[in-house]
Amino acid sequence: MINAEIMGHGVVGSGVAEILINHSDRIAEKVKDEIFVKYILDLRDFDNLSYSDKFIKDFNLILNDDSVKIVAEVMGGVNPAYDFVKSCLLAGKSVVTSNKELVAAKGAELLKIANDKNVNFLFEASVGGGIPILRPMSQCLAANKINSVTGILNGTTNYILNKMIVDNMAFEDALKLAQEKGFAEKDPTADIEGHDACRKVCILASLAFGRHVYPNQVKTEGITSITATDVEFADGFNCVIKLIGRTEMLESGKITATVRPTLVSRDNIISAVNGVFNTVMVSGDQTGDVLFYGKGAGKEATASAVVADMIDCAKHLNARKYLFWEDGDDDYVVEANEPTRLYIYAKSENYENLLENALALFGDKASYIKNKFKGEVAILTDTELESDLLEKANKLGADAIKIMHTLF
Ligand code: HSE
C-alpha cells in the first residue's frame, strides 16, 4: 500500500479524491499496488462525505508522516502552495500538482529540488486540463527539436469568444454565462486578461526549450477589448477570433512567447476548437505538426490528469521520471519582428481620407471591409515585416485603431 495525501478539496481536489477512492480497484490494478488516501488537507469542514474522516487542517501532520510518499497539491495560487510543495519535496515525498501559477513561477526551482532528492515533481494537469500534453511532449516527441508550440490554452475565454461568434452575444453576457456554468476561475480576471494562458505558455515553453520562462516575459493581452464588430469583421475575412498562446524558437537561440487575441483562418484546424475545449499544436523538426485536443478545464478532466501523475509517481517511487529545465534569464525571451499578416481596424470621422490612406499604404494585395456609415474600415494585410505594417498603421490617420495578429 502506498500512502498519498491531497492538499485542497476544491473543484479539482474533490475530483481527485473521488477517483482515488471510488476507483481504487482500477488504480490498484494499474499500479500493482494500492494508492491509499491517508489525509486530505483543507481548512474547511466537510462533514457529510463518505471519506470525511480523512480531513486534517495541520500541514505538519503530512510533512512529518514518513509513510506518505505521494502528495497531490490542488490548492491553487503560489502561497502557501509553494512552501508546502517545497517542504514535501525536501522531505523526500513525490509531489504532483495542477497549479499552473506555481509551476510558472517556481518550476525550475522545484524541479531542481526534486532532482536533488530523487523524487518526482509532475504537473500534467497544469496545462490543458485533461489533455495529455506535457508527458507526450517530453517523452514521445523527445527525438525532435521543437520549433514552436501554439494553442488555445484557456477554456473560459474560448467559451466566451465562441458565444460571441456563434450566438452574437456581447462580451459581458458571455462572461456571465461562463461564470454561471462554473468554467471561469474564482476571479475571472486571470482568464479574461490572459494570465491563466500566460502561465500555461510559460510551462510549455520551459519544457519545450529547456529553460524557465517567467510570466513577466510573456507578452500577454486578454480578450476584454474584443467587440462584436471585431467578430463580424473577422468573419468577413473567413476567420474567427481566438485567444492564442504561442512560443517559438528563433534562429538566434532566443525564443518568443505571447498570449493574444488572434484572427485564426477557418482553414486552420485550430479555428474549429470551440467551447471549453483546448488544443495544443507542437511543431517538431521530425514529426511536423502534432495536434492535441480535449477538455481544458473542469473537475473530472483535470482530476484525471492529476491522478495519472500520482499513478506515475507510484510506479516510479524508486526510479525518478526525468523532467527538468534550467533556470531562465532576462534576455532569453524576445519580441520577434517577422513577416506576418495583421488585422487592422480603423475608424475616422474623415472616412474618405482614411480609406484613401489605407489603399495607398496597404495596396490591392490587402483585403478590405468597409463601413462608410460608421466610418470604419477593417484591413487584412498582405504578408510584410511586422514593424513595416505597424509603421503604416500609424500613418492611417485614424481616430481609433485596433491591431490583431493572425494565424493562417
Ligand atoms: N480557468 C481555466 C480555463 C481552468 O478556463 O481554462 C483550467 O486551467
Side-chain angles (χ1 to χ4, degrees):
M1 188 169 79
I2 301 164
N3 284 338
E5 191 267 339
I6 304 167
M7 297 198 289
H9 193 262
V11 175
V12 180
S14 58
V16 172
E18 283 162 25
I19 295 178
L20 286 173
I21 293 165
N22 299 340
H23 300 290
S24 56
D25 290 353
R26 182 200 298 171
I27 289 162
E29 235 170 70
K30 290 182 179 162
V31 180
K32 308 275 181 271
D33 203 343
E34 182 189 352
I35 298 182
F36 177 72
V37 181
K38 188 165 181 185
Y39 305 116
I40 302 175
L41 180 74
D42 202 298
L43 292 176
R44 296 164 295 177
D45 292 317
F46 294 90
D47 293 330
N48 299 315
L49 301 172
S50 61
Y51 52 89
S52 289
D53 57 322
K54 295 182 186 294
F55 282 87
I56 56 165
K57 295 187 185 349
D58 180 5
F59 169 68
N60 288 311
L61 279 175
I62 302 152
L63 189 62
N64 299 326
D65 185 337
D66 287 340
S67 79
V68 173
K69 300 292 181 206
I70 303 168
V71 176
E73 185 279 300
V74 279
M75 303 158 63
V78 176
N79 292 307
Y82 168 60
D83 288 335
F84 289 0
V85 168
K86 190 172 169 177
S87 305
C88 286
L89 292 171
L90 285 168
K93 302 176 193 302
S94 286
V95 179
V96 315
T97 182
S98 58
N99 187 339
K100 53 250 169 191
E101 198 174 350
L102 175 68
V103 182
K106 305 284 184 186
E109 181 192 346
L110 295 171
L111 281 168
K112 182 165 185 328
I113 296 172
N115 189 33
D116 293 347
K117 290 287 170 184
N118 200 31
V119 291
N120 288 300
F121 178 52
L122 303 177
F123 37 86
E124 182 63 63
S126 65
V127 180
I131 307 175
I133 170 66
L134 303 185
R135 193 175 275 93
M137 204 163 84
S138 66
Q139 294 181 2
C140 312
L141 297 176
N144 286 261
K145 173 183 175 291
I146 292 175
N147 296 320
S148 65
V149 185
T150 309
I152 295 174
L153 304 170
N154 182 269
T156 303
T157 45
N158 203 43
Y159 178 85
I160 292 172
L161 289 169
N162 197 217
K163 284 282 161 198
M164 290 174 75
I165 293 162
V166 176
D167 297 337
N168 293 321
M169 283 178 95
F171 171 80
E172 291 74 18
D173 297 334
L175 169 61
K176 201 157 159 261
L177 195 61
Q179 283 173 314
E180 280 164 18
K181 297 241 175 207
F183 300 144
E185 301 274 316
K186 257 187 270 168
D187 176 359
T189 315
D191 291 311
I192 61 180
E193 296 293 355
H195 305 152
D196 177 77
C198 158
R199 291 164 191 148
K200 292 166 181 168
V201 165
C202 291
I203 298 168
L204 289 168
S206 303
L207 195 60
F209 305 129
R211 288 178 84 176
H212 198 118
V213 173
Y214 293 93
N216 64 2
Q217 296 180 297
V218 181
K219 199 164 183 228
T220 301
E221 198 188 319
I223 61 161
T224 49
S225 67
I226 304 300
T227 61
T229 308
D230 295 319
V231 168
E232 209 180 302
F233 281 137
D235 185 50
F237 293 130
N238 197 31
C239 292
V240 286
I241 300 175
K242 299 283 185 191
L243 185 67
I244 297 291
R246 181 171 162 82
T247 181
E248 185 181 1
M249 173 61 74
L250 302 174
E251 274 180 21
S252 61
K254 310 244 181 207
I255 68 157
T256 64
T258 51
V259 171
R260 55 198 177 196
T262 302
L263 260 72
V264 182
S265 163
R266 282 206 160 90
D267 295 334
N268 186 316
I269 193 166
I270 290 178
S271 73
V273 174
N274 292 320
V276 285
F277 281 83
N278 283 192
T279 189
V280 184
M281 186 178 275
V282 182
S283 179
D285 67 342
Q286 303 304 310
T287 54
D289 291 341
V290 180
L291 190 70
F292 299 84
Y293 169 83
K295 276 189 191 158
K299 172 174 167 171
E300 291 83 4
T302 312
S304 148
V306 174
V307 174
D309 274 353
M310 294 177 84
I311 291 174
D312 220 358
C313 287
K315 285 176 163 176
H316 295 91
L317 278 182
N318 301 314
R320 201 179 154 260
K321 298 271 296 179
Y322 192 81
L323 192 63
F324 196 72
W325 61 69
E326 302 285 339
D327 213 346
D329 73 49
D330 287 348
D331 57 4
Y332 171 52
V333 186
V334 296
E335 273 186 46
N337 182 25
E338 291 181 323
T340 187
R341 295 178 79 181
L342 292 180
Y343 161 90
I344 302 171
Y345 160 90
K347 182 179 168 96
S348 173
E349 294 218 338
N350 194 343
Y351 174 71
E352 296 304 335
N353 185 50
L354 175 68
L355 214 53
E356 208 174 290
N357 288 347
L359 283 165
L361 288 160
F362 296 103
D364 57 10
K365 283 195 178 152
S367 306
Y368 301 86
I369 303 176
K370 302 164 201 168
N371 187 335
K372 185 175 181 177
F373 181 63
K374 290 188 176 168
E376 297 171 329
V377 60
I379 308 159
L380 183 61
T381 72
D382 192 21
T383 305
E384 286 184 55
L385 203 59
E386 186 172 334
S387 58
D388 292 346
L389 289 172
L390 295 176
E391 206 179 309
K392 289 182 184 181
N394 263 333
K395 293 181 183 158
L396 274 170
D399 301 331
I401 195 159
K402 186 185 290 184
I403 298 174
M404 276 192 264
H405 286 75
T406 59
L407 189 63
F408 280 86

